[in-house]
Amino acid sequence: MNASPSQPHPAEWTETQGLLPSVERDLPAGRHQFHKEQMMAQIHEDLRAAAPAVTPQRRNPFLRRAILLPAGAFALAGAVVAGVALSGGNGDGGTADLATGPALTTRIGAADPKGAPQLLDRISLAAADTSGPTVHDGQFIYIASKVASTYPKTVDDKTTIVSQELHDRRVWLSPDGKNGWLIEAGETSDKGMTLSSDTPIDSAYNALVKLPTDPAQLLQRIYRDSDAVRDHEVPRDQAAFVAIGDLLTESYPPADLTAALYKAAAKIPGVVAVDDAVDAVGRHGVAIARQNDAAGERTEWIFDKKTLQFLGERNVVVKKVADNPFKVGTVTFTSAITQRAIVDASKQVPGQVG
């Protein structure tokens, strides 16, 4: 059922209504994976040139505070709000840390390279059979999620591992990408946002509907746009995989484009199927993943085992690499989409009017 601006209540759909793109994206997490990779490489370089005791500086003032960038080769522990410009707040994006706890660890699921194409084909078919509300001008895409991350933090020459408690994140995105809002614990709270242009693919809904739905053409476009912004140390295939994941997790592509994105992902070398993965709220599923060998981490897109609906994503340390302080099995970033809806106003919560 399509939503229209005249509707008094927001159109809402639940996680059981099929495979829908989890959008958190125009804002922060959307680009977070791709930019985590970029930041990893850049911070690597920055640390080589910096004094050992200096805290690495975040290059982008619009970093997502709740998912802080880590230092050195473990920059994947953080997620970046690189796709958004935040209005208000302090210039470095920093605020008080959320309450912290022990690092989350997990069983590392078995990777199956041969099973990835078949699983992605099934996921693509499920996506093609799913349709969500149409977004109209003046409306907003609302996404609620649970997120947490683990990262190194240096204060007064002392580095410690910080593990956030799982917390809520809510974003509102306009279809043209010019307006949005973020509410998240640990942020400087209530922040307006607009999309910036320094990301590989424009994730605004109005831009996504113009992308090609032929998988080969779509992948070619993704490689081209990723090449234009990726750091030279980030493998080309990894950057493309991350860019697709961003579109799936933090934007709202139409069903035919979502299906094409999965088919495009199947063409990327190194993509594997994972037999078991758990999202931020404890839902078990299967995963499509790709490993970044330089960081020793694997990025996993998690899907319900029965419906093949997208549940969330996570980054898991799968091997020990130099300068990486995390143990194998550490989850450096985890998310779970809990609600998606089309609403008629920024900061409107589904189920409430106005």
Side-chain angles (χ1 to χ4, degrees):
M1 180 176 68
N2 292 346
S4 66
S6 61
Q7 289 178 308
H9 297 286
E12 200 172 339
W13 62 103
T14 67
E15 295 298 319
T16 58
Q17 288 177 286
L19 182 63
L20 291 176
S22 58
V23 315
E24 220 198 78
R25 169 108 200 182
D26 279 4
L27 332 165
R31 320 287 165 95
H32 81 68
Q33 283 184 314
F34 181 82
H35 291 276
K36 282 186 298 187
E37 301 286 350
Q38 287 186 298
M39 291 297 178
M40 177 196 71
Q42 182 58 44
I43 293 178
H44 230 346
E45 295 177 356
D46 291 347
L47 287 180
R48 293 192 190 105
V54 174
T55 301
Q57 298 296 310
R58 290 177 289 175
R59 300 170 61 217
N60 191 321
F62 307 129
L63 298 184
R64 174 172 165 186
R65 181 65 185 89
I67 306 177
L68 207 65
L69 270 180
F74 31 94
L76 281 184
V80 182
V81 183
V84 260
L86 306 182
S87 63
N90 57 29
D92 63 5
T95 57
D97 288 324
L98 295 173
T100 61
L104 175 66
T105 58
T106 187
R107 166 189 172 271
I108 299 175
D112 178 13
K114 295 182 179 180
Q118 182 180 8
L119 178 56
L120 279 165
D121 186 60
R122 292 171 54 212
I123 293 172
S124 178
L125 289 174
D129 288 339
T130 302
S131 61
T134 298
V135 187
H136 297 280
D137 290 342
Q139 293 186 308
F140 287 82
I141 300 164
Y142 170 81
I143 312 102
S145 61
K146 298 279 190 179
V147 300
S149 64
T150 294
Y151 55 91
K153 180 179 179 180
T154 301
V155 177
D156 296 332
D157 300 339
K158 181 180 179 180
T159 299
T160 57
I161 302 300
V162 177
S163 296
Q164 296 176 328
E165 291 184 352
L166 192 66
H167 59 279
D168 292 321
R169 174 181 173 84
R170 293 185 292 168
V171 296
W172 289 260
L173 317 173
S174 66
D176 62 6
K178 295 181 179 179
N179 296 287
W181 207 264
L182 163 67
I183 297 178
E184 179 174 6
E187 290 283 345
T188 311
S189 197
D190 284 6
K191 289 188 175 182
M193 347 178 161
T194 56
L195 281 176
S196 66
S197 60
D198 61 348
T199 50
I201 303 289
D202 188 345
S203 65
Y205 178 82
N206 291 352
L208 294 179
V209 298
K210 299 177 182 178
L211 289 177
T213 54
D214 175 80
Q217 294 179 10
L218 180 59
L219 184 59
Q220 184 178 27
R221 168 71 179 273
I222 290 169
Y223 271 121
R224 185 195 73 188
D225 290 359
S226 297
D227 286 344
V229 298
R230 72 182 175 91
D231 188 280
H232 70 279
E233 289 190 13
V234 178
R236 189 171 189 248
D237 293 329
Q238 183 70 13
F241 181 80
V242 163
I244 292 175
D246 288 346
L247 291 181
L248 297 171
T249 58
E250 300 202 336
S251 62
Y252 181 45
D256 58 347
L257 178 60
T258 305
L261 286 168
Y262 290 127
K263 288 184 177 294
K267 299 177 180 294
I268 298 176
V271 173
V272 300
V274 178
D275 64 345
D276 184 64
V278 186
D279 73 3
V281 295
R283 296 176 296 194
H284 282 258
V286 292
I288 291 296
R290 194 178 191 283
Q291 183 170 318
N292 182 335
D293 288 325
E297 294 196 20
R298 188 168 71 190
T299 298
E300 300 177 344
W301 309 336
I302 305 170
F303 301 87
D304 184 273
K305 292 182 179 181
K306 293 182 179 179
T307 66
L308 298 180
Q309 173 197 355
F310 181 87
L311 299 177
E313 66 172 341
R314 69 179 185 178
N315 289 328
V316 181
V317 177
V318 293
K319 72 173 186 177
K320 189 67 177 177
V321 299
D323 299 326
N324 190 327
F326 302 122
K327 297 179 180 179
V328 171
T330 300
V331 178
T332 56
F333 171 71
T334 183
S335 71
I337 303 303
T338 58
Q339 189 176 29
R340 288 181 288 254
I342 303 303
V343 296
D344 295 327
S346 177
K347 295 200 284 185
Q348 179 183 356
V349 177
Q352 299 178 3
V353 179

